Amino acid sequence: GGLMQPSGVNGRWSMIRSLYIDNKTRNPKARGRHEFINSVLYNWREHGYIMGDTTNGVSECNLIGNYFIYGPSSNSNTHITGTTEYFHVYAEDNWVDSNTNGTLDGSLLTDYKTATVENSPFDYPGVAHQLSAQDALNHVIENAGASLIRDAVDELLIDQLRSYGTEGRIINTEADNGIPGNVGTLASGVAPTDTDRDGMPDDWETARGLDPNSADDNDDDDADGYTNIEEYMSCIVGEGDC
């Protein structure tokens, strides 16, 4: 998993509609000001969502509409760990399915251990269309990962998630997945013309008023806080203003 912590006094981070699967721990190890919304955690081993795990510095989190699903590798009572009073959490509509019986039949998460539970959310951006935890799970199954063209690895992981506790194991190396060549057969294609090789096709840049001859992927031409390359990636999955 990840060590997630913002830089600087005013730093923040967001994890939205994402899938953590088959990690030993840190799904994520979360610190600082952040929001974790409409995401799914599956088949961790020792630690699912680590809440700060420190007495140095306060963390402030909106934890909303997430599903924690135990798998065959998961140790008991580990969906949230590392809680301290310095971790402040606004929690809403988070669910846990811990019985690994192959059926999604979780219960509402109400025990946040020693974390400080807040009654109102922190003033973070959030999402325009917040989903329920159940709807978020369905969205993740259909859209997380390389969802435009899923390869054998994507399909394997999503199938494990759909088993609701009966399949999956901690991934150590690519060879663990048992797929021929580790990644299976990848379909070839023709890349769109990208003269400046900045990851954004010429026609998309031209339509946006960008210069296809100047690498400006890290710029933010509309000053909305997202780089040009982030806007392009949103567009190719049908999101954002294209």
Side-chain angles (χ1 to χ4, degrees), residues 16-33:
I16 299 171
R17 296 176 185 167
S18 299
L19 170 63
Y20 279 92
I21 184 169
D22 292 346
N23 293 314
K24 180 180 178 182
T25 182
R26 302 190 319 218
N27 299 278
K29 186 172 186 177
R31 290 179 179 172
R33 303 165 69 211

Side-chain angles (χ1 to χ4, degrees), residues 31-33 54-60 84-88 118 122:
R31 290 179 179 172
R33 303 165 69 211
T54 180
T55 59
N56 295 320
V58 172
S59 294
E60 296 176 333
T84 73
E85 62 184 297
Y86 297 92
F87 193 97
H88 294 248
E118 302 289 343
F122 297 100

Side-chain angles (χ1 to χ4, degrees), residues 15 32 40 56 63 72 92 97 101 120 127 145 171 195 200 213 219:
M15 184 68 67
V40 178
N56 295 320
L63 192 72
E92 176 187 329
D97 186 351
N101 66 352
S120 57
V127 294
I171 297 173
T195 301
M200 302 178 296
N213 295 296
D219 294 346

Side-chain angles (χ1 to χ4, degrees), residues 1-16:
L3 298 170
M4 305 294 286
Q5 183 170 350
S7 60
V9 176
N10 297 317
R12 296 184 298 186
W13 60 271
S14 303
M15 184 68 67
I16 299 171

Side-chain angles (χ1 to χ4, degrees), residues 27-54:
N27 299 278
K29 186 172 186 177
R31 290 179 179 172
R33 303 165 69 211
H34 65 280
E35 56 186 358
F36 196 90
I37 300 174
N38 286 162
S39 294
V40 178
L41 294 80
Y42 181 72
N43 194 45
W44 61 90
R45 176 173 289 162
E46 297 173 358
H47 304 279
Y49 195 98
I50 302 177
M51 290 188 166
D53 194 28
T54 180

